Amino acid sequence: MASFLLIMGFVTFMMILTIIITRFCKRNRKPHYDLQVRDISKGHRWVMMDMFTHPVYCNISGAHIVEGAVCDSCGICVDDHNMKEANRTLHCKLLAERADILKHQWIKGNLPLCSRCVVCEEQCGLLPQICDLKCCWCQRTVHDNCQKRLTELCDLGQYRDLIVPPNCVQLKQVGWKGRRHLVVGSVREPPIKNWSPLVVIANRKSGNGDGEHILQAYRRLLNPAQVIDLHDLPPENALEWCRLVPNITCRVLVCGGDGTIGWVLNAIDKLGLNPAPYVSILPLGTGNDLSRVLQWGEGYVHGEIDVEQILDKLEMAKHVKLDRWKVEVTGHKRLGIGLPRRRKTVMMNNYSSIGVDARVTLNFHQHRESQPYLFGSRIINKLWYFTYGTKDIYERECKDLQKRIKLELDGVEVQMPEIEGIVVLNISSWAGGCQPWEIGLGPHGQQARYDDGLVEVMGLYSSFHVAQLHVGLAEPYRFGQAKTVKITLTKGKAPMQVDGEPWNQSAGEIMITRTGQANMLACDS
């Protein structure tokens, strides 16, 4: 009996020790993010087309087709029933290959309109059949008869300093049997002057379908492994490129709204990348305030995005710094009970607000969560914002907010008039393009900057005041600029939002302090 108890005690001790060691290892190990890529040996990445917008010929049968499938990586087009044959006989755009030099990878026929032969400079691809060639890496086009006069070496073309050559990439298989997949194992730096690879991050569901179009277009221009769909992988996996080329500063193109940009910037901070990549923007959101400030545009009309023009602007972009702020919310103790106070920390890149401005954002957010099919485009979203703003003019849910709030700038309490909202700005653009701080400021006023370590704090009298600011018929109530901002909500609840993320805030303290700066690219055209 004593021996049995001794054995049971020993087994129990070992089980407890194993649990403690396992938890310790999980808590202290660094997370690992594999850059997963598709296995092109399984075939092409097909996109079904209900109707081609220009004359197209099947790469298998040579027949003219009106509908069918196109590979969004290499660009071949086939009739529906020829997809399996194309997967078997036609190679897709290589993600990696073992070769000392890179050769052209020619795709037959279906050249872009107005293509010119790189050898004779005459138009090519004009015959009503599969004819002439295009390299899926350098994008050069050539006549069938002129190809033999062209060197077989490929220099990757106009955007070579953005592309990761396939002969510099090594893939490896990871995972268990049945769930094995390919990831990028290592990357060798190519002999390209000023090489700074571009990582394109987008969500195929965003921008009313524009996200899918952008992903397809950049897979054809770059190495498809450089193009990451946020619907499949989080930004931490996409940023694995920065670790794979540790001595090179990468560039990141975020295709989305302000929320997606914040997600990527948070991932860069989380990973502690050094050097940190420079982030540029292709705006697909509703407000796109950060994109406006960095001059990447206010947004694009559906279907009119020129992806090559974006790359041209990216080559000319200038390096800038963007202040990043920590918004720390601490709830008050309830009924004086000595329980730990609830804390919430959110990063701010653009602006935060409490009161009437956040009420409109919260109503919009709740409605979109419950009925997402009603929010299909940027214009419709703006109409919903207008509707909720008009509704609040009559309801005035945030009336007399100053009676429940205390505001401190750099430790000094400020007196407030009758207001319904407070806005803290890191950038000059707010609420979809309005620049309230600049209205009536005068030439000698303190201009708003995104890299000066200061935020601008202003008050809103009502929803009608917000509407007046948008058309330049009123000025904000300027509380001032500060390095730290403390807002204390003494009682009740008030709507609050940070960079478009809204919630109902209970009584507590909101502390806003700068945490550092992000590397950004500003359009210089």
Side-chain angles (χ1 to χ4, degrees):
M1 187 64 180
S3 300
F4 175 76
L5 292 175
L6 184 63
I7 293 173
M8 290 299 296
F10 177 76
V11 171
T12 304
F13 170 77
M14 292 302 297
M15 290 177 62
I16 294 173
L17 182 62
T18 301
I19 293 172
I20 293 173
I21 293 174
T22 302
R23 289 183 176 178
F24 176 81
C25 292
K26 286 183 177 180
R27 188 180 298 114
N28 290 277
R29 73 180 179 185
K30 291 184 178 180
H32 182 67
Y33 302 97
D34 282 329
L35 180 58
Q36 185 175 345
V37 297
R38 62 182 293 270
D39 187 355
I40 64 170
S41 65
K42 297 180 180 179
H44 295 266
R45 190 194 293 267
W46 296 113
V47 177
M48 305 306 299
M49 303 293 292
D50 295 330
M51 179 178 290
F52 290 104
T53 58
H54 58 280
V56 169
Y57 301 89
C58 178
N59 278 90
I60 295 296
S61 67
H64 176 261
I65 54 177
V66 177
E67 60 180 8
V70 57
C71 176
D72 73 355
S73 294
C74 67
I76 68 165
C77 302
V78 297
D79 204 348
D80 295 353
H81 61 271
N82 287 327
M83 292 168 62
K84 289 185 178 179
E85 179 66 15
N87 286 336
R88 187 177 66 85
T89 60
L90 299 178
H91 293 295
C92 191
K93 191 174 186 179
L94 297 174
L95 308 181
E97 65 172 335
R98 295 181 178 179
D100 294 331
I101 58 175
L102 179 65
K103 298 181 180 180
H104 291 291
Q105 186 174 346
W106 296 111
I107 303 298
K108 185 82 171 179
N110 299 315
L111 272 59
L113 298 176
C114 302
S115 296
R116 290 193 173 274
C117 177
V118 69
V119 176
C120 67
E121 298 185 357
E122 297 291 332
Q123 283 198 9
C124 52
L126 298 178
L127 298 178
Q129 63 186 44
I130 283 284
C131 66
D132 302 333
L133 303 158
K134 177 184 177 181
C135 175
C136 60
W137 285 106
C138 66
Q139 311 303 317
R140 291 185 175 94
T141 54
V142 63
H143 289 116
D144 291 319
N145 296 332
C146 294
Q147 182 193 3
K148 58 185 178 182
R149 297 166 56 189
L150 189 67
T151 176
E152 64 178 3
L153 301 181
C154 180
D155 64 358
L156 299 175
Q158 179 182 356
Y159 304 114
R160 65 180 65 87
D161 60 326
L162 302 175
I163 301 174
V164 180
N167 62 328
C168 294
V169 179
Q170 183 176 357
L171 305 181
K172 65 178 181 180
Q173 279 197 333
V174 298
W176 298 96
K177 185 178 180 181
R179 299 189 64 182
R180 296 180 68 82
H181 56 269
L182 287 174
V183 301
V184 178
S186 61
V187 179
R188 174 173 55 86
E189 183 179 345
I192 299 175
K193 185 179 180 181
N194 299 323
W195 184 64
S196 178
L198 176 67
V199 181
V200 178
I201 300 176
N203 188 330
R204 64 175 180 264
K205 300 292 184 180
S206 66
N208 194 26
D210 283 331
E212 179 68 23
H213 164 68
I214 290 165
L215 289 168
Q216 294 169 12
Y218 281 121
R219 287 190 189 108
R220 293 192 191 181
L221 291 173
L222 308 173
N223 189 322
Q226 296 174 244
V227 185
I228 285 73
D229 187 352
L230 289 177
H231 192 73
D232 299 328
L233 295 173
E236 287 84 357
N237 294 71
L239 294 168
E240 178 70 4
W241 278 112
C242 302
R243 191 192 65 80
L244 291 167
V245 286
N247 299 320
I248 300 295
T249 302
C250 295
R251 285 174 276 189
V252 176
L253 176 62
V254 181
C255 311
D258 292 330
T260 305
I261 298 165
W263 189 13
V264 173
L265 293 180
N266 288 342
I268 292 173
D269 286 347
K270 176 182 177 182
L271 297 174
L273 299 175
N274 187 20
Y278 280 91
V279 179
S280 58
I281 304 168
L282 198 163
L284 298 180
T286 302
N288 302 316
D289 286 293
L290 184 56
S291 175
R292 295 170 192 263
V293 171
L294 298 179
Q295 301 179 25
W296 291 107
E298 61 184 41
Y300 291 87
V301 178
H302 176 63
E304 295 187 2
I305 301 174
D306 188 339
V307 293
E308 293 193 29
Q309 185 183 60
I310 299 297
L311 294 185
D312 293 336
K313 291 182 178 180
L314 192 67
E315 297 274 37
M316 303 298 294
K318 60 182 179 181
H319 296 175
V320 297
K321 296 288 187 178
L322 172 71
D323 290 333
R324 304 198 71 218
W325 299 78
K326 179 175 67 175
V327 181
E328 189 172 18
V329 182
T330 306
H332 285 167
K333 294 181 180 179
R334 294 186 177 181
L335 303 177
I337 301 175
L339 296 175
R341 296 198 292 178
R342 293 168 298 160
R343 294 182 182 272
K344 177 178 182 176
T345 301
V346 184
M347 295 301 297
M348 181 185 84
N349 303 306
N350 299 353
Y351 46 78
S352 62
S353 63
I354 186 167
V356 61
D357 170 57
R359 167 58 62 191
V360 175
T361 305
L362 181 60
N363 289 337
F364 174 87
H365 177 77
Q366 291 174 339
H367 194 179
R368 184 169 60 176
E369 288 290 308
S370 61
Q371 296 175 301
Y373 52 87
L374 296 177
F375 299 80
S377 71
R378 187 182 299 114
I379 295 177
I380 293 176
N381 292 350
K382 289 184 176 181
L383 287 175
W384 279 116
Y385 269 111
F386 175 77
T387 300
Y388 286 122
T390 305
K391 176 173 175 280
D392 193 75
I393 290 177
Y394 299 100
E395 296 180 351
R396 301 194 66 184
E397 296 183 25
C398 300
K399 184 180 179 181
D400 294 329
L401 184 67
Q402 79 283 353
K403 295 180 180 180
R404 298 184 288 132
I405 275 188
K406 184 174 73 171
L407 173 64
E408 299 175 53
L409 303 183
D410 291 334
V412 179
E413 183 176 354
V414 298
Q415 299 300 313
M416 291 181 288
E418 291 186 7
I419 58 171
E420 294 187 18
I422 296 175
V423 180
V424 181
L425 297 164
N426 180 45
I427 62 177
S428 59
S429 182
W430 164 73
C434 178
Q435 295 193 336
W437 194 261
E438 312 300 329
I439 300 175
L441 184 62
H444 303 295
Q446 285 286 88
Q447 300 291 323
R449 293 178 57 90
Y450 51 76
D451 59 355
D452 59 357
L454 297 172
V455 288
E456 290 71 42
V457 187
M458 66 182 191
L460 303 173
Y461 298 120
S462 63
S463 288
F464 186 65
H465 184 211
V466 174
Q468 289 178 309
L469 289 172
H470 272 276
V471 294
L473 294 179
E475 295 184 31
Y477 185 90
R478 296 183 180 86
F479 290 113
Q481 296 177 304
K483 295 180 180 179
T484 61
V485 178
K486 182 179 180 182
I487 300 173
T488 305
L489 180 61
T490 56
K491 59 181 179 181
K493 289 186 176 182
M496 182 174 178
Q497 66 94 12
V498 177
D499 286 352
E501 179 190 341
W503 68 89
N504 264 320
Q505 178 59 43
S506 302
E509 296 176 352
I510 300 110
M511 195 71 184
I512 302 177
T513 55
R514 198 181 79 148
T515 60
Q517 293 183 312
N519 291 340
M520 305 295 294
L521 290 173
C523 187
D524 199 24
S525 62

